[in-house]
């Protein structure tokens, strides 16, 4: 196992659920991340889906003790480099391209690349990847699909993301090839908008209590 794979697993093994955040206002990033960390969710994926995302990553990386800031929805090399410069300690992509694999190979920051089919998983295995994001999890076949992959593609671990909630997270976490899941339910937009950080901490603690 490569050093980068070990570093990525060290992050993903911190908790059963990685929060997947869409941060609209950079000012909310620090209190939001602190609320998640207080509930036991230290690894935090901030998606590059808003203009505030890079600043949010920078603030969380610099100001939130105990947080491990990561960047999601990375689509190209430029975004990869920007996210690393902002302080991301892990990078997540919804799929994979040759450009992404090339920039990831040159970076010490580990990539969690997205895959949705057996062929995509096999292609990434050929590139040395052992830990993948399964996305979009529910739409691509759910826990039953991942269970079916566990034997023919033994040795590959997944972080399923997409359509996962408290109601179905255990279906995934019970599988031998799932290291953790990604979910947005721990930071609902309405709680962020009303700055209900205590409510988010409660949701984070509930998620952190889920076991593989």
């Amino acid at each position: 196992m490569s050093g980068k794979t070990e570093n990525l697993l060290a992050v993903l093994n911190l908790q059963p659920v990685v929060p997947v955040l869409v941060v609209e206002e950079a000012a909310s990033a620090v209190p939001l991340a602190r609320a998640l960390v207080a509930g036991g969710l230290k690894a935090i994926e901030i998606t590059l889906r808003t203009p505030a995302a890079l600043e949010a990553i920078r603030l969380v990386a610099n100001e939130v003790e105990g947080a491990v800031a990561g960047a999601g929805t990375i689509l190209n090399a430029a975004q990869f480099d920007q996210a690393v410069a902002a302080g991301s300690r892990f990078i997540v992509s919804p799929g994979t391209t040759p450009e992404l694999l090339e920039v990831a190979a040159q970076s010490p920051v580990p990539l969690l690349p997205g895959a949705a089919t057996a062929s995509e998983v096999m292609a990434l295995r050929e590139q040395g990847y052992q830990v993948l994001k399964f996305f979009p999890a529910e739409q691509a076949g759910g826990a039953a699909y991942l269970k079916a992959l566990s034997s023919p593609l033994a040795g590959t671990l997944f972080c399923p993301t997409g359509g996962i909630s408290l109601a179905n997270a255990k279906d995934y976490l019970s599988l031998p090839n799932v290291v953790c899941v990604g979910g947005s339910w721990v930071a609902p937009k309405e709680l962020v908008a009303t700055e209900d950080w205590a409510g988010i901490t409660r949701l984070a603690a509930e998620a952190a209590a889920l076991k593989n």
Side-chain angles (χ1 to χ4, degrees), residues 12 25 44 54 56 64 87 93 113 138 147 160 163 171 186 206:
L12 300 181
E25 304 287 342
I44 298 168
L54 287 171
V64 182
S93 64
E138 280 292 285
K147 184 177 182 180
D171 295 340
V186 293
E206 196 175 34

PDB file of all heavy atoms in Angstrom, residues 12 25 44 54 56 64 87 93 113 138 147 160 163 171 186 206:
ATOM      1  N   LEU A  12     -10.055   8.784   6.221  1.00  0.00           N
ATOM      2  CA  LEU A  12     -11.380   8.170   6.087  1.00  0.00           C
ATOM      3  C   LEU A  12     -11.742   7.296   7.279  1.00  0.00           C
ATOM      4  O   LEU A  12     -12.923   7.084   7.569  1.00  0.00           O
ATOM      5  CB  LEU A  12     -11.453   7.360   4.794  1.00  0.00           C
ATOM      6  CG  LEU A  12     -11.230   8.149   3.496  1.00  0.00           C
ATOM      7  CD1 LEU A  12     -11.347   7.223   2.289  1.00  0.00           C
ATOM      8  CD2 LEU A  12     -12.186   9.322   3.375  1.00  0.00           C
ATOM      9  N   GLU A  25     -21.725  30.682   2.083  1.00  0.00           N
ATOM     10  CA  GLU A  25     -21.086  31.865   2.655  1.00  0.00           C
ATOM     11  C   GLU A  25     -19.843  31.432   3.413  1.00  0.00           C
ATOM     12  O   GLU A  25     -19.925  30.641   4.344  1.00  0.00           O
ATOM     13  CB  GLU A  25     -22.041  32.585   3.613  1.00  0.00           C
ATOM     14  CG  GLU A  25     -23.371  32.995   3.006  1.00  0.00           C
ATOM     15  CD  GLU A  25     -23.223  34.168   2.045  1.00  0.00           C
ATOM     16  OE1 GLU A  25     -22.184  34.861   2.125  1.00  0.00           O
ATOM     17  OE2 GLU A  25     -24.121  34.376   1.218  1.00  0.00           O
ATOM     18  N   ILE A  44     -13.698  16.691   6.814  1.00  0.00           N
ATOM     19  CA  ILE A  44     -14.807  17.470   6.259  1.00  0.00           C
ATOM     20  C   ILE A  44     -14.526  17.761   4.788  1.00  0.00           C
ATOM     21  O   ILE A  44     -13.498  18.357   4.452  1.00  0.00           O
ATOM     22  CB  ILE A  44     -14.971  18.788   7.046  1.00  0.00           C
ATOM     23  CG1 ILE A  44     -15.322  18.488   8.512  1.00  0.00           C
ATOM     24  CG2 ILE A  44     -16.034  19.673   6.399  1.00  0.00           C
ATOM     25  CD1 ILE A  44     -15.227  19.688   9.425  1.00  0.00           C
ATOM     26  N   LEU A  54     -13.346  27.767  -1.946  1.00  0.00           N
ATOM     27  CA  LEU A  54     -11.899  27.789  -1.685  1.00  0.00           C
ATOM     28  C   LEU A  54     -11.581  28.580  -0.422  1.00  0.00           C
ATOM     29  O   LEU A  54     -10.741  28.170   0.383  1.00  0.00           O
ATOM     30  CB  LEU A  54     -11.146  28.353  -2.885  1.00  0.00           C
ATOM     31  CG  LEU A  54     -11.064  27.430  -4.102  1.00  0.00           C
ATOM     32  CD1 LEU A  54     -10.498  28.170  -5.300  1.00  0.00           C
ATOM     33  CD2 LEU A  54     -10.218  26.194  -3.800  1.00  0.00           C
ATOM     34  N   ALA A  56     -13.610  28.946   2.061  1.00  0.00           N
ATOM     35  CA  ALA A  56     -14.106  28.121   3.167  1.00  0.00           C
ATOM     36  C   ALA A  56     -13.081  27.061   3.550  1.00  0.00           C
ATOM     37  O   ALA A  56     -12.819  26.822   4.742  1.00  0.00           O
ATOM     38  CB  ALA A  56     -15.430  27.465   2.766  1.00  0.00           C
ATOM     39  N   VAL A  64      -9.777  25.890  12.366  1.00  0.00           N
ATOM     40  CA  VAL A  64     -10.594  24.932  13.114  1.00  0.00           C
ATOM     41  C   VAL A  64      -9.720  23.794  13.636  1.00  0.00           C
ATOM     42  O   VAL A  64      -9.287  22.919  12.884  1.00  0.00           O
ATOM     43  CB  VAL A  64     -11.746  24.379  12.251  1.00  0.00           C
ATOM     44  CG1 VAL A  64     -12.607  23.426  13.080  1.00  0.00           C
ATOM     45  CG2 VAL A  64     -12.590  25.522  11.702  1.00  0.00           C
ATOM     46  N   GLY A  87      -5.316  24.501   1.318  1.00  0.00           N
ATOM     47  CA  GLY A  87      -5.104  23.741   2.542  1.00  0.00           C
ATOM     48  C   GLY A  87      -5.774  22.389   2.595  1.00  0.00           C
ATOM     49  O   GLY A  87      -5.805  21.751   3.657  1.00  0.00           O
ATOM     50  N   SER A  93     -13.109  13.490  -6.183  1.00  0.00           N
ATOM     51  CA  SER A  93     -13.680  13.793  -7.496  1.00  0.00           C
ATOM     52  C   SER A  93     -14.879  12.887  -7.765  1.00  0.00           C
ATOM     53  O   SER A  93     -14.892  11.740  -7.322  1.00  0.00           O
ATOM     54  CB  SER A  93     -12.634  13.612  -8.597  1.00  0.00           C
ATOM     55  OG  SER A  93     -12.220  12.264  -8.675  1.00  0.00           O
ATOM     56  N   PRO A 113     -10.779   9.118  -5.967  1.00  0.00           N
ATOM     57  CA  PRO A 113     -11.425   9.276  -7.275  1.00  0.00           C
ATOM     58  C   PRO A 113     -12.760   8.558  -7.347  1.00  0.00           C
ATOM     59  O   PRO A 113     -12.945   7.490  -6.765  1.00  0.00           O
ATOM     60  CB  PRO A 113     -10.411   8.644  -8.238  1.00  0.00           C
ATOM     61  CG  PRO A 113      -9.744   7.574  -7.419  1.00  0.00           C
ATOM     62  CD  PRO A 113      -9.748   8.062  -5.987  1.00  0.00           C
ATOM     63  N   GLU A 138     -26.611   5.693  -4.457  1.00  0.00           N
ATOM     64  CA  GLU A 138     -27.972   5.143  -4.540  1.00  0.00           C
ATOM     65  C   GLU A 138     -28.422   4.987  -5.984  1.00  0.00           C
ATOM     66  O   GLU A 138     -28.999   3.969  -6.367  1.00  0.00           O
ATOM     67  CB  GLU A 138     -28.943   6.052  -3.779  1.00  0.00           C
ATOM     68  CG  GLU A 138     -28.930   5.860  -2.282  1.00  0.00           C
ATOM     69  CD  GLU A 138     -29.490   4.515  -1.865  1.00  0.00           C
ATOM     70  OE1 GLU A 138     -30.731   4.338  -1.904  1.00  0.00           O
ATOM     71  OE2 GLU A 138     -28.701   3.619  -1.514  1.00  0.00           O
ATOM     72  N   LYS A 147     -22.042  -4.584  -2.705  1.00  0.00           N
ATOM     73  CA  LYS A 147     -21.867  -5.939  -2.159  1.00  0.00           C
ATOM     74  C   LYS A 147     -21.491  -6.904  -3.265  1.00  0.00           C
ATOM     75  O   LYS A 147     -20.627  -7.776  -3.098  1.00  0.00           O
ATOM     76  CB  LYS A 147     -23.134  -6.385  -1.450  1.00  0.00           C
ATOM     77  CG  LYS A 147     -23.007  -7.739  -0.762  1.00  0.00           C
ATOM     78  CD  LYS A 147     -24.283  -8.095  -0.013  1.00  0.00           C
ATOM     79  CE  LYS A 147     -24.132  -9.425   0.721  1.00  0.00           C
ATOM     80  NZ  LYS A 147     -25.383  -9.779   1.451  1.00  0.00           N
ATOM     81  N   PRO A 160     -18.893   5.340  -0.360  1.00  0.00           N
ATOM     82  CA  PRO A 160     -20.072   5.651  -1.156  1.00  0.00           C
ATOM     83  C   PRO A 160     -20.634   7.031  -0.786  1.00  0.00           C
ATOM     84  O   PRO A 160     -20.694   7.397   0.393  1.00  0.00           O
ATOM     85  CB  PRO A 160     -21.068   4.553  -0.774  1.00  0.00           C
ATOM     86  CG  PRO A 160     -20.295   3.551   0.010  1.00  0.00           C
ATOM     87  CD  PRO A 160     -19.137   4.256   0.595  1.00  0.00           C
ATOM     88  N   GLY A 163     -27.103  10.260  -2.164  1.00  0.00           N
ATOM     89  CA  GLY A 163     -28.371   9.674  -1.753  1.00  0.00           C
ATOM     90  C   GLY A 163     -28.306   8.925  -0.440  1.00  0.00           C
ATOM     91  O   GLY A 163     -29.230   8.189  -0.094  1.00  0.00           O
ATOM     92  N   ASP A 171     -26.629   0.257   5.862  1.00  0.00           N
ATOM     93  CA  ASP A 171     -26.627  -0.734   4.783  1.00  0.00           C
ATOM     94  C   ASP A 171     -25.264  -0.761   4.097  1.00  0.00           C
ATOM     95  O   ASP A 171     -24.782  -1.826   3.688  1.00  0.00           O
ATOM     96  CB  ASP A 171     -27.708  -0.410   3.749  1.00  0.00           C
ATOM     97  CG  ASP A 171     -29.116  -0.506   4.316  1.00  0.00           C
ATOM     98  OD1 ASP A 171     -29.281  -1.166   5.364  1.00  0.00           O
ATOM     99  OD2 ASP A 171     -30.034   0.078   3.722  1.00  0.00           O
ATOM    100  N   VAL A 186     -25.820  15.699   7.542  1.00  0.00           N
ATOM    101  CA  VAL A 186     -25.350  16.167   8.855  1.00  0.00           C
ATOM    102  C   VAL A 186     -25.269  17.682   8.936  1.00  0.00           C
ATOM    103  O   VAL A 186     -25.079  18.238  10.027  1.00  0.00           O
ATOM    104  CB  VAL A 186     -23.976  15.552   9.207  1.00  0.00           C
ATOM    105  CG1 VAL A 186     -24.099  14.063   9.427  1.00  0.00           C
ATOM    106  CG2 VAL A 186     -22.946  15.858   8.133  1.00  0.00           C
ATOM    107  N   GLU A 206     -24.739  11.851  16.102  1.00  0.00           N
ATOM    108  CA  GLU A 206     -25.563  10.709  15.700  1.00  0.00           C
ATOM    109  C   GLU A 206     -24.877   9.934  14.576  1.00  0.00           C
ATOM    110  O   GLU A 206     -24.827   8.702  14.580  1.00  0.00           O
ATOM    111  CB  GLU A 206     -26.917  11.255  15.214  1.00  0.00           C
ATOM    112  CG  GLU A 206     -28.030  10.265  15.114  1.00  0.00           C
ATOM    113  CD  GLU A 206     -29.349  10.939  14.749  1.00  0.00           C
ATOM    114  OE1 GLU A 206     -29.337  11.934  13.997  1.00  0.00           O
ATOM    115  OE2 GLU A 206     -30.382  10.450  15.203  1.00  0.00           O
TER     116      GLU A 206
END
